[in-house]
Amino acid sequence: MGSVDMAELFSRVGEELRTQEGSRIHRQLREATSGSGRLAALLQLSAMAEATPQGPGRLDKSRPAATEWLLRERDAGSDQERLALLNLAVQFAPTPGSEEQQPLELRDHGQTLTAALLRRQHVLHGCGRPEDRAANALYLRQLRDVLPEATSKKFEHELESVLAAADEQPAADEERPFKLPKIYGGLHYKLKRTSALVNPAYVEGKGRCLVANEDIPPGSVLITDSPYAWALGSDRWQTHCQNCCRRTLAPVPCTQCAAVVFCSAGCRQAAWNRFHRAECGILEHLRGGGLTPMALMVARTALTAGMARLRPYLARCDSYDITDVDPAAVYDSLEYDAVFDQVPNSAFRSILDAIRRGTLAIYLLRCLLLTELAAPPAELDERQQLQLAALLLRHLESCACNGFQLSELVPAEELGRDADDEPEAVELGGAVSATMSLINHSCDPNMTRVNHGRHLIAITTRTVAAGEELQDNYRALFHEAPRAVRQAALLERYHFTCRCSACRLHWPMYDRLSAVAPRAAVRDLLETGAQSESDGEFRSAAQAFAAAAQLVEADHDDPLQPNRLLVDCQGYLTRCLWLAYRL
Ligand SMILES: [Zn+2]
Ligand SMILES: [Zn+2]
Ligand SMILES: [Zn+2]
């Protein structure tokens, strides 16, 4: 997997830079003032020849492999094991109806796939959720329409009985709808998918931010953003939809490659149109070998934009004149210019960082040159290729501080643990959301950012007063980590020194915060919330905890002092919001 070992390549590059000839290039690299300058220096290294995709770019479907998994399923010990093997059979079985791109073996014509899906429907009755059975039944129905006559005859009776027994009425074949919450306070006139109660502002030395223009209570949804590009970690490619990032037990495979799956044919089509058509043939170059989901996300950013959109930016690849959000323009995360404008922080980066990201950018460029991005009539001359690599480098840099982690909070029982155990945060991948990137960090945040599939939702966890900045937490909460640890982590990853109240006033960590017994009204709300949470009513639970947070704030008049009860309320609220919006 992965046609190049990045760690090995980096050490090869490092070695060459330490040679006498390399020291000249090293100096050039240090003195370069632009991304394209650094890349031009790196390209002189002979080791850079190895930053080239090798071997097949597509994980091909294989009927023998699919048949093998189908056979092994019979000896599987548990339903989970059965399902895993059947899913592999479905993934690797050639798909009928896609003959133009991939000739089917004459003997197959969808037989393996049909057999695996029929079998899967049986197994899902034992261990699936209704939505998984519905998804599988829907896919079987769609498949039946494209099966050659001989195959559909062969499976006629079984297909009829399985589909007749499918108790759920599957939805129409379209991209699965998201259930995004309503935005509090109406929509902003300029910031897409954002509340009218916040405004963009620019703070010298800190950059862009969002500021409340009136008091906003806890539990208010302020942003429901859709990322420009996103990517799952390759360990999730079998279990989560590449399009909506929903967990699925009945995945629908790509018709061309055996690498990725979707929750439905609708999501498959949406992803195909947006990025997968272009990447399907090079995906194996972009996984493994030390490449992170971030590299795939950057490749998808370029593929989503397309050459027509990128071309005007090639000449601007080295310009970093980012100041304010243009007050006259609509700000939309789904537009490439918003992604381009994200701060890459190039000036703060070390020479080692320049070497690593530069090498990666050159490798990504060479992968992308194999796709439709650079196919006629979009051919690029050498100068334009360097500019495109500089654009990729810029995105690799800005992703490091502006990219968001996609995760889901999974209840303990789903992980096979005791239902009373804490739910576990599972990392899925990453996403680029320019609007969310307008929000700065505080070790004492006033909001949380939850994922709804690939979507990012900003919800307040305490009152945000008029004039106060909306502040998220970049995984460094004051009550969980000592100040020195937080500050070091933030400086290293995000290149700033945090000056939040908790940092300035040296707030103590959780164990040393004084405990105050909640008054009766607060206690009642906390009990109601806990009851709703244990009943699985996460939205009601969140409402109760938000109301509790508001009461605690009313009793606590000094925002410069930490409050343990408020920290508790924010923690419960955050957890319930994550569970409520999980797809
Ligand atoms: Zn999906
Ligand atoms: Zn594919
Ligand atoms: Zn801080």
Side-chain angles (χ1 to χ4, degrees), residues 291-528:
L291 265 76
T292 58
M294 193 164 74
L296 177 55
M297 197 158 82
V298 168
R300 282 181 178 172
T301 300
L303 293 171
T304 299
M307 212 53 229
R309 194 83 196 84
L310 291 177
R311 206 174 281 279
Y313 289 90
L314 290 179
R316 291 176 59 198
C317 64
D318 291 324
S319 75
Y320 297 102
D321 50 351
I322 301 146
T323 47
D324 198 357
V325 175
D326 179 355
V330 165
Y331 193 78
D332 186 352
S333 313
L334 290 176
E335 292 293 340
Y336 178 74
D337 55 352
V339 183
F340 177 83
D341 269 345
Q342 296 197 313
V343 185
N345 282 324
S346 313
F348 297 104
R349 296 180 182 279
S350 65
I351 191 80
L352 190 67
D353 187 290
I355 293 168
R356 294 193 159 206
R357 276 182 226 275
T359 307
L360 189 52
I362 290 165
Y363 177 73
L364 281 184
L365 168 76
R366 290 173 180 165
C367 291
L368 292 177
L369 290 178
L370 303 172
T371 70
E372 63 180 38
L373 190 73
E379 290 118 308
L380 302 169
D381 61 30
E382 212 166 298
R383 189 178 54 96
Q384 290 169 321
Q385 289 186 15
L386 182 68
Q387 290 173 332
L388 179 55
L391 217 49
L392 294 168
L393 174 61
R394 180 194 186 97
H395 289 310
L396 286 170
E397 289 178 339
S398 76
C399 269
C401 20
N402 288 299
F404 291 95
Q405 194 184 82
L406 290 177
S407 2
E408 62 179 350
L409 200 58
V410 184
E413 58 217 289
E414 256 183 63
L415 297 165
R417 291 205 217 104
D418 200 76
D420 289 338
D421 286 358
E422 287 279 313
E424 192 182 313
V426 174
E427 191 179 333
L428 302 180
V432 183
S433 159
T435 304
M436 282 294 170
S437 295
L438 295 175
I439 300 170
N440 292 316
H441 162 89
S442 168
C443 303
D444 175 34
N446 50 24
M447 58 155 278
T448 183
R449 175 181 42 76
V450 306
N451 295 143
H452 179 60
R454 68 171 192 251
H455 293 266
L456 304 131
I457 307 177
I459 307 175
T460 54
T461 55
R462 59 177 167 84
T463 301
V464 184
E468 190 183 338
E469 196 187 325
L470 195 59
Q471 288 176 316
D472 192 6
N473 183 269
Y474 301 174
R475 287 195 290 175
L477 286 164
F478 83 87
H479 50 88
E480 285 182 0
R483 180 177 181 272
V485 172
R486 302 195 308 265
Q487 295 239 327
L490 292 166
L491 192 62
E492 191 198 330
R493 171 100 194 252
Y494 302 100
H495 314 286
F496 72 90
T497 301
C498 185
R499 299 191 202 290
C500 72
S501 304
C503 283
R504 276 186 292 113
L505 303 171
H506 294 259
W507 285 6
M509 283 168 60
Y510 189 84
D511 287 345
R512 291 181 45 223
L513 293 174
S514 44
V516 182
R519 64 181 161 104
V522 174
R523 202 181 51 231
D524 288 349
L525 282 166
L526 291 179
E527 278 168 14
T528 310

Side-chain angles (χ1 to χ4, degrees), residues 42-327:
L42 281 174
L43 279 165
Q44 297 169 51
L45 296 168
S46 58
M48 216 42 76
E50 289 167 46
T52 308
Q54 305 282 336
R58 170 178 290 156
L59 181 62
D60 279 327
K61 290 182 180 285
S62 144
R63 182 175 187 245
T67 313
E68 173 69 24
W69 276 304
L70 199 53
L71 288 172
R72 276 173 51 189
E73 184 262 331
R74 291 181 194 161
D75 306 322
S78 67
D79 275 352
Q80 266 69 25
E81 212 180 308
R82 248 176 219 119
L83 204 54
L85 288 164
L86 287 170
N87 286 349
L88 281 167
V90 168
Q91 219 173 309
F92 276 84
T95 312
S98 55
E99 287 92 329
E100 317 84 85
Q101 296 91 347
Q102 184 187 312
L104 282 181
E105 285 178 59
L106 279 175
R107 290 181 308 144
D108 191 355
H109 286 301
Q111 291 188 31
T112 322
L113 183 56
T114 313
L117 289 172
L118 284 168
R119 191 71 207 116
R120 188 163 80 176
Q121 193 71 359
H122 287 295
V123 177
L124 283 171
H125 273 285
C127 66
R129 305 164 293 184
E131 63 180 276
D132 297 311
R133 289 194 291 275
N136 199 52
L138 175 60
Y139 189 45
L140 263 171
R141 279 200 178 89
Q142 291 161 343
L143 194 66
R144 186 180 51 179
D145 298 339
V146 295
L147 285 178
E149 211 181 312
T151 311
S152 56
K153 262 220 139 38
K154 180 173 173 191
F155 290 100
E156 199 177 327
H157 295 297
E158 209 181 342
L159 263 169
E160 283 319 311
S161 71
V162 161
L163 290 178
D167 39 354
E168 301 82 13
Q169 275 306 305
D173 174 30
E174 49 197 30
E175 199 179 345
R176 292 253 208 118
F178 296 100
K179 293 194 193 91
L180 287 168
K182 200 164 169 261
I183 289 173
Y184 181 76
L187 286 175
H188 199 275
Y189 73 104
K190 198 182 87 178
L191 301 171
K192 285 285 177 91
R193 298 170 292 280
T194 302
S195 167
L197 301 186
V198 292
N199 271 321
Y202 185 79
V203 179
E204 203 55 52
K206 201 169 170 187
R208 306 187 293 195
C209 59
L210 291 177
V211 174
N213 50 38
E214 61 179 74
D215 289 0
I216 304 171
S220 306
V221 174
L222 296 182
I223 304 170
T224 60
D225 206 24
S226 185
Y228 189 82
W230 60 94
L232 295 170
S234 57
D235 51 342
R236 310 285 168 212
W237 287 12
Q238 253 88 62
T239 52
H240 287 72
C241 174
Q242 290 281 339
N243 183 55
C244 67
C245 302
R246 172 198 309 265
R247 184 182 286 266
T248 170
L249 295 180
V252 168
C254 174
T255 59
Q256 307 301 310
C257 71
V260 294
V261 301
F262 305 91
C263 72
S264 60
C267 264
R268 173 170 72 188
Q269 191 62 49
W272 184 259
N273 295 344
R274 193 168 174 87
F275 55 81
H276 191 62
R277 182 187 63 234
E279 79 179 7
C280 184
I282 58 154
L283 209 45
E284 290 311 295
H285 299 318
L286 299 177
R287 81 158 145 181
L291 265 76
T292 58
M294 193 164 74
L296 177 55
M297 197 158 82
V298 168
R300 282 181 178 172
T301 300
L303 293 171
T304 299
M307 212 53 229
R309 194 83 196 84
L310 291 177
R311 206 174 281 279
Y313 289 90
L314 290 179
R316 291 176 59 198
C317 64
D318 291 324
S319 75
Y320 297 102
D321 50 351
I322 301 146
T323 47
D324 198 357
V325 175
D326 179 355

